[in-house]
Structure formats: C-alpha cells, structure tokens
Amino acid sequence: MLSSAWLQYTQGQALIKAKRRTDGLSHYTLEWTPKDLIPNLKAKAECKVTYPHSKTEAEPSATIEYTHKNAKAKVTLADNPTSVKASVTAGAPELGVGVDAKYDFKLGRFSAYNFAMWWNKNSSRLVLKHLGSNKSQYSIGDIQLSYYQRLSSRTTIGTLVSKNWGTRKVSMEVGGEYDYDAKTLLKGKFDSEGKVGLALQRELSPNLKFTVASEVDTKQITASALNEYKLGFRFDFNH
C-alpha cells in the first residue's frame, strides 16, 4: 500500500510545498511569482529525494516560466543527470502548436525532442504528436494521433493511434467517460494488446474522492480462470 502526506505554505509571492510518500520519495518545491516586478513570470526550485536501501539520491532543478495570453515558454536546468530542457507553446482559440527539447550534457546531445499540433472545434479535439527520445541516435521516434469527442453533457470518448517509426509497430487505444451523476464518474478503455481497464470515481465529500480501478489482460483469460489482472484503489484529499 502506498500513502503520502503533504504540506503547503504561502507567504506573499512565495509558495512552499513538501510531499512525502511511504515508498521513500520526498518532493520539495519553492515557487516565486514576482507579479509587481515582472508580470506573468514564475520561478521555481524543486528537489526530489529518494532513499533506496539507505542511499540518498537527489534530483534538484530550477525553472523559469513566462506566460503570455497566447503563448508560454519554459526553461528548466536539472541535475542528475545534468540537462537543460526548453519548451514553447502558442495557439489561438482553435489551433495550437508546441515544441520542446532536452539537452543532456553527459551525452553531449539532445535526448528528447518533441512536437505537437492540435485543432479544437466545438466539442471535438484532434492532436498530432511526434515523440523522440532515442538517447543513442537521432530518429523519427513515435508518431501519435489522438481524437477526443464529447457526445453529450455526460459522455465523452477518445481514441489514440501510435506508430513507432523504427519498429513499424502500430498500437491503438479506445476509451470513454460517463458522468453517472454529479458525484460519480465511470471510465473505461481497451487497447490493441487486449487489455481492458475500468475505473469508478466517487466524491464522498467536497474534500474527499475515492477511486477504484481494475485492468484485465483478455489474452490471459481461460475457460476456468482469470490468470492476470490488476486491482487498486486510492483516496484523494483536497483542502
């Protein structure tokens, strides 16, 4: 079982957050938003600390983020490994484009390079993505095409088709959500690997949500037994 606790403190234009999980992961964040000095700018320093087998591992980073009405830019300098990541997104009400890249100083090359463009119209959304993360050589990587459609005020569906340009493997996933009532949400998905996932989310109170989810590999189902499945639940506390 995995559980976590968090603490948040705000003072003026500064925000401090701390989170600790039972698996040994701690996450500390310091945010500064100088609204009077430079509007739309945010600076953030964070550090993830893990304690595997009594050996402490830290992942510190620093980020500068600037947000405009129709655009957003972000630059992050991270350690372990030492790298710099930059991203830019821009868009209009119906169209948008985004690009990000990560340069790894140890490798001496870009280790990630992604691109996306999207189109929104009424209750529909179409997204085309390129994901490149080959750390040994530059390659086209994965091409993804996703489509989202709101069928009614309660029902939405979505599909995702992905192709790995190197292996030529094509995968597909179909999913949907249904608002059973104001406090209950049902989710389901099915992919080309034969896996089926179902989830139920229930709002127990304004500050507490409960989720139970299960995943079944249909290829492992036999006439006499269900050989492989996953089942889990979680509580989300909001204050």
Side-chain angles (χ1 to χ4, degrees):
M1 177 180 291
L2 178 66
S3 61
S4 62
W6 59 273
L7 174 68
Q8 180 172 304
Y9 175 74
T10 303
Q11 178 64 45
Q13 299 175 344
L15 171 67
I16 300 174
K17 293 188 288 186
K19 183 178 180 180
R20 181 68 184 268
R21 296 193 328 203
T22 53
D23 62 354
L25 173 64
S26 298
H27 191 182
Y28 307 98
T29 305
L30 171 62
E31 294 183 6
W32 179 50
T33 309
K35 297 179 181 179
D36 301 331
L37 223 68
I38 309 176
N40 305 322
L41 183 72
K42 181 168 71 174
K44 181 169 67 172
E46 58 184 327
C47 185
K48 296 179 181 179
V49 183
T50 55
Y51 307 91
H53 308 296
S54 71
K55 179 184 177 182
T56 304
E57 296 181 1
E59 298 178 25
S61 65
T63 301
I64 297 293
E65 183 179 305
Y66 183 79
T67 303
H68 188 264
K69 181 180 179 181
N70 296 318
K72 182 177 180 180
K74 183 166 68 172
V75 177
T76 300
L77 178 63
D79 194 14
N80 195 19
T82 305
S83 61
V84 60
K85 183 177 181 180
S87 64
V88 177
T89 57
E94 294 186 356
L95 295 171
V97 63
V99 60
D100 70 76
K102 180 180 179 181
Y103 186 85
D104 191 311
F105 288 96
K106 184 178 181 180
L107 298 176
R109 62 186 300 277
F110 288 98
S111 57
Y113 32 94
N114 308 311
F115 170 82
M117 59 187 304
W118 57 91
W119 171 76
N120 295 311
K121 186 67 174 180
N122 299 326
S123 57
S124 303
R125 182 171 72 240
L126 183 67
V127 181
L128 176 65
K129 283 184 180 181
H130 163 264
L131 303 175
S133 58
N134 191 324
K135 296 182 179 181
S136 59
Q137 63 181 8
Y138 292 117
S139 63
I140 295 179
D142 293 339
I143 304 296
Q144 293 184 349
L145 181 66
S146 60
Y147 178 73
Y148 168 92
Q149 175 71 52
R150 178 172 287 278
L151 300 179
S152 68
S153 60
R154 289 188 170 189
T155 308
T156 58
I157 60 170
T159 61
L160 171 66
V161 179
S162 178
K163 179 176 182 178
N164 184 288
W165 209 260
T167 62
R168 305 297 180 180
K169 181 181 178 181
V170 177
S171 59
M172 183 175 180
E173 185 175 301
V174 180
E177 295 182 355
Y178 177 70
D179 292 322
Y180 181 77
D181 55 35
K183 296 184 177 181
T184 308
L185 178 64
L186 304 175
K187 298 181 181 182
K189 68 176 183 178
F190 176 78
D191 64 25
S192 55
E193 299 293 324
K195 294 182 179 179
V196 178
L198 297 172
L200 183 148
Q201 186 181 83
R202 176 72 177 178
E203 183 180 305
L204 302 179
S205 72
N207 298 321
L208 178 61
K209 287 184 180 180
F210 171 72
T211 303
V212 58
S214 177
E215 183 180 87
V216 177
D217 188 344
T218 58
K219 295 180 181 179
Q220 301 296 323
I221 298 177
T222 64
S224 58
L226 181 62
N227 297 322
E228 189 170 328
Y229 69 93
K230 297 178 181 178
L231 178 66
F233 66 90
R234 79 177 190 185
F235 290 92
D236 292 308
F237 300 90
N238 296 314
H239 181 65

